[in-house]
Amino acid sequence: MRLLELKSYGESSLTRDLIDNIPPYAILSHTWGEDDTEVTFQDLVQGISKNKAGYRKIQFCEEQATEDGLRYIWVDTCCIDKANNTELSEAINSMFRWYREASKCYVYLTDVSKQNFDENDYFSGLTSESAFRKSRWFTRGWTLQELIAPVSVEFFSKEGKRLGDKNSLGQQVYEITGIPINALQGSPLSHFSISERLSWAENRETKRKEDKAYSLMGIFDVYLPLIYGEGRDRAFIRLHDEINKRSGNLQMDELPNTPRARYYLITIYQYRT
């Protein structure tokens, strides 16, 4: 795990790849913009990270971590050398644990403004539409584990203003995602059926087809080698096989009665026959 170490005067630098004795760190959860706007590992190495629009979210994470007394942060756009397939595979298989072990997880919502923040909506349990409820962050595949895994998840507007955390906003998050509050608050995922956990991901999308399956590895505590190019269906077959090894045979009648959930096993059975 490679972290960004925060220096004085707003500067930072990458650590070596840490195996043991990992210091307390904050971790960023966000939605990706266009690839050419995000700060990469290579950008940091070459010293050109501040020229990109995606640097703002890293700057926010650095400032918030400093305020919280943390000297290290992890950001997925730039702390993984994605040109190294071995490192990328290890990072994706470790990511649920990295989020779980973070001291703080900051959710940076680029489509939510503090000016539009309505306390009467957010804290009264009303179900009216709002920028928070409609945020793209709740529709992405990878953010599911980023919501569930960490103990501390705090939501921030695009201005960097704190909106609340997954405890104070638990009812709203439940209404948006369908994830039970006790799951959000740290109940072991093994207490929830395979069917229920699959349902949490049904309406989420990923940019790469295979990531629809890969993003669920941590939710089911399984590990998969990454084979980009295999397609979503074959990735789900391998996910299904790993779930079976841990949990026994997953049957059709265990799935929620929705088109996407039933497609999951129908696809697998078609490939099996």
Side-chain angles (χ1 to χ4, degrees):
M1 183 184 200
R2 190 182 288 107
L3 297 170
L4 271 174
E5 182 178 4
L6 309 184
K7 311 285 189 178
S8 56
Y9 307 108
E11 297 300 315
S12 60
S13 64
L14 286 165
T15 68
R16 60 182 175 81
D17 194 4
L18 304 174
I19 306 299
D20 300 312
N21 301 317
I22 295 173
Y25 60 92
I27 200 164
L28 182 68
S29 178
H30 65 107
T31 54
W32 282 55
E34 295 298 322
D35 287 344
D36 60 359
T37 69
E38 297 292 354
V39 176
T40 67
F41 173 81
Q42 285 74 23
D43 293 332
L44 286 183
V45 171
Q46 296 170 19
I48 59 174
S49 60
K50 295 181 181 180
N51 299 331
K52 291 191 169 183
Y55 179 71
R56 171 59 193 131
K57 66 184 77 173
I58 299 174
Q59 185 180 41
F60 153 75
C61 191
E62 291 176 343
E63 292 170 351
Q64 190 60 45
T66 299
E67 185 175 322
D68 289 333
L70 296 166
R71 291 182 51 214
Y72 297 88
I73 66 171
W74 188 88
V75 182
D76 59 353
T77 61
C78 60
C79 290
I80 307 170
D81 181 3
K82 298 177 182 65
N84 183 325
N85 290 333
T86 300
E87 181 173 333
L88 177 62
S89 181
E90 180 181 355
I92 289 180
N93 275 276
S94 303
M95 207 168 290
F96 187 92
R97 174 170 53 84
W98 291 351
Y99 274 89
R100 184 182 62 210
E101 294 177 354
S103 298
K104 296 272 190 177
C105 176
Y106 305 137
V107 178
Y108 185 67
L109 303 174
T110 57
D111 52 1
V112 178
S113 173
K114 180 68 173 179
Q115 283 71 32
N116 296 330
F117 188 75
D118 181 357
E119 288 190 1
N120 291 327
D121 174 27
Y122 286 81
F123 293 98
S124 67
L126 299 177
T127 58
S128 59
E129 292 295 316
S130 66
F132 180 77
R133 295 173 184 275
K134 294 186 290 185
S135 176
R136 179 171 174 261
W137 187 85
F138 290 108
T139 71
R140 308 309 296 166
W142 287 107
T143 59
L144 174 61
Q145 67 176 9
E146 296 165 15
L147 171 62
I148 291 176
V151 173
S152 173
V153 176
E154 300 179 6
F155 296 94
F156 293 84
S157 71
K158 65 182 180 181
E159 297 89 2
K161 302 300 183 182
R162 191 179 188 277
L163 305 176
D165 57 43
K166 69 174 178 178
N167 291 322
S168 66
L169 295 173
Q171 182 63 33
Q172 288 77 12
V173 173
Y174 161 69
E175 292 168 3
I176 296 165
T177 65
I179 301 171
I181 291 176
N182 57 337
L184 296 172
Q185 294 179 344
S187 290
L189 293 182
S190 59
H191 292 182
F192 302 90
S193 69
I194 293 171
S195 168
E196 185 168 11
R197 281 178 276 169
L198 280 172
S199 72
W200 301 341
E202 280 189 71
N203 296 316
R204 294 173 178 265
E205 299 297 337
T206 56
K207 186 172 183 180
R208 302 190 71 164
K209 295 178 180 179
E210 296 86 356
D211 282 340
K212 181 77 172 177
Y214 300 161
S215 63
L216 294 176
M217 289 190 289
I219 301 298
F220 292 103
D221 193 22
V222 299
Y223 301 92
L224 293 173
L226 306 186
I227 310 176
Y228 284 112
E230 68 175 325
R232 182 184 65 174
D233 295 345
R234 290 191 180 276
F236 264 110
I237 289 172
R238 294 196 297 118
L239 177 67
H240 167 270
D241 290 345
E242 290 303 312
I243 293 173
N244 272 348
K245 290 177 184 178
R246 291 188 62 85
S247 306
N249 192 31
L250 177 59
Q251 299 296 330
M252 181 75 79
D253 59 6
E254 294 176 357
L255 291 175
N257 188 23
T258 62
R260 288 194 181 197
R262 303 191 80 77
Y263 172 82
Y264 171 84
L265 273 187
I266 290 171
T267 299
I268 290 170
Y269 291 158
Q270 286 175 341
Y271 271 93
R272 292 280 188 250
T273 58

